[in-house]
Amino acid sequence: MSLQLKPLHHWFAAQASGLDLTQPPSDADLRAINAAMNRYAVLVFRGQPLTAQQQIAFTSKFGPLDIGLKRVFKRPERLEDERLIDISNVDAQGHVAQRDSPKNLSNFANQLWHSDSSFMNPRAAYSMLHCLIKPSWGGNTEFADLRHAYDSLDERTKADIQNLKAEHFALHTRILLGDEAYTDEQKKAIPPAVWPLADTHPGSGRKVLFVGVHARQILGWPTAESRIFLSDLLEHATRPENVYAHEWEPGDLVIWDNRSTLHRGRRYDLAERRELRRTTINDTPEAMLMAA
Ligand code: OGA
Ligand code: MN
């Protein structure tokens, strides 16, 4: 079988079928997935019962894996393999985490519109999120298309952002959520990354409006003016018509491109278990992203 696609939204996101992701993909499959990612930016595979190692093996075909902030914050982890990012409300002992736990703090940060690891250089290219257990209510993941966000800017704003760069800082979301307990040393360990606001997506050549909640400052601008403009641009990028909302089923694998989309988790009952596993590849020259 080969990759089949069915659009899930007017201009991005598609349901993908025809491949068994528990098996190693062929080069032709990889090229087809990359081409589909360049076109749709979000792909939804249903009914893929991946083990942790199968997910890692599949993801590794696309490039070197990224472990995000784990490099800096060494915390007790539930999942053995550090290349898996535990997107769950379950603590290291396997219990549903306390409402006010550090685990839930990161989950709340994931409920703000963001691009994974945009505060690092290299940043993340693809993220792959696999659902194991979903709560009985809520907990969708929403995606916004940054290519359409760019294309639909008014001409004046497009011109205004052409040469602007924004600084993306890892702790900005944590600080927004009231978690200020970081030492200067910890802050220094994660220097901000800088990306153009009007960026070009390497795989498709399309322009993107590269915003998100990690962006805290436009270089050379006064802070207040820069934060208002960034929040205006984020509001534009995430207008309801530019959003695809994914309703999870166990066995789903959703792949998104962090350079051309934003995403956020939605609220659910924290007393119920929600378990997903993420693998992410870094946007490095080795990544097989141009293969299409
Ligand atoms: C992620 C993420 C949102 C969610 O896995 O990177 O932001 O719905 N997840 O859990
Ligand atoms: Mn994320």
Side-chain angles (χ1 to χ4, degrees), residues 170-182:
L171 298 179
H172 189 49
T173 52
R174 315 284 163 135
I175 294 166
L176 274 178
L177 293 175
D179 178 31
E180 313 258 358
Y182 294 98

Side-chain angles (χ1 to χ4, degrees), residues 87 110 114 116 129 140-141 256 263-266 274 278:
I87 304 293
N110 282 344
H114 66 283
D116 291 334
L129 190 57
N140 288 352
T141 305
W256 65 87
H263 63 281
R264 66 169 177 183
R266 299 313 319 264
R274 180 177 189 263
R278 173 154 70 81

Side-chain angles (χ1 to χ4, degrees), residues 168 188 227-228 240 259 281 286:
H168 295 235
K188 270 198 227 116
R227 290 203 179 157
I228 289 297
R259 301 156 310 171
I281 57 164
E286 300 101 283

Side-chain angles (χ1 to χ4, degrees), residues 15-224:
Q15 180 153 337
S17 57
L19 298 183
D20 174 1
L21 305 187
T22 65
Q23 302 302 313
S26 67
D27 285 351
D29 294 339
L30 287 175
R31 278 194 298 276
I33 295 171
N34 280 323
M37 287 297 290
N38 288 335
R39 164 74 182 82
Y40 289 102
V42 177
L43 293 182
V44 173
F45 291 86
R46 301 271 194 188
Q48 300 284 344
L50 295 168
T51 65
Q53 290 307 316
Q54 284 167 337
Q55 182 174 348
I56 290 171
F58 176 74
T59 312
S60 308
K61 288 285 191 177
F62 293 87
L65 292 166
D66 165 52
I67 57 168
L69 281 182
K70 279 196 209 173
R71 203 172 308 159
V72 184
F73 298 120
K74 303 239 177 314
R75 295 199 171 113
E77 289 284 340
R78 183 170 64 104
L79 304 180
E80 259 167 42
D81 198 311
E82 72 158 11
R83 296 170 296 175
L84 285 171
I85 301 165
D86 181 24
I87 304 293
S88 78
N89 59 342
V90 181
D91 65 21
Q93 289 70 43
H95 304 119
V96 170
Q98 294 293 313
R99 199 167 170 184
D100 60 353
S101 59
K103 188 77 201 161
N104 277 332
L105 181 72
S106 350
N107 291 335
F108 289 129
N110 282 344
Q111 293 185 20
L112 298 163
W113 283 111
H114 66 283
S115 161
D116 291 334
S117 302
S118 70
F119 44 74
M120 298 196 315
N121 190 350
R123 61 188 156 168
Y126 297 167
S127 286
M128 308 199 180
L129 190 57
H130 185 239
C131 177
L132 297 154
I133 301 175
K134 64 160 191 172
S136 63
W137 174 86
N140 288 352
T141 305
E142 295 181 344
F143 297 89
D145 184 351
L146 294 179
R147 304 160 310 171
H148 187 269
Y150 180 89
D151 293 344
S152 58
L153 285 169
D154 64 81
E155 293 308 314
R156 169 62 196 251
T157 309
K158 248 184 218 171
D160 284 349
I161 65 169
Q162 280 319 304
N163 298 311
L164 297 180
K165 291 191 165 75
E167 178 182 273
H168 295 235
F169 183 52
L171 298 179
H172 189 49
T173 52
R174 315 284 163 135
I175 294 166
L176 274 178
L177 293 175
D179 178 31
E180 313 258 358
Y182 294 98
T183 61
D184 284 346
E185 211 169 299
Q186 281 173 318
K187 288 183 188 162
K188 270 198 227 116
I190 342 172
V194 171
W195 304 108
L197 269 180
D199 205 359
T200 302
H201 180 260
S204 62
R206 288 186 63 181
K207 296 282 275 185
V208 297
L209 174 60
F210 198 65
V211 284
V213 74
H214 299 311
R216 68 162 177 188
Q217 177 75 43
I218 296 174
L219 296 190
W221 278 40
T223 298

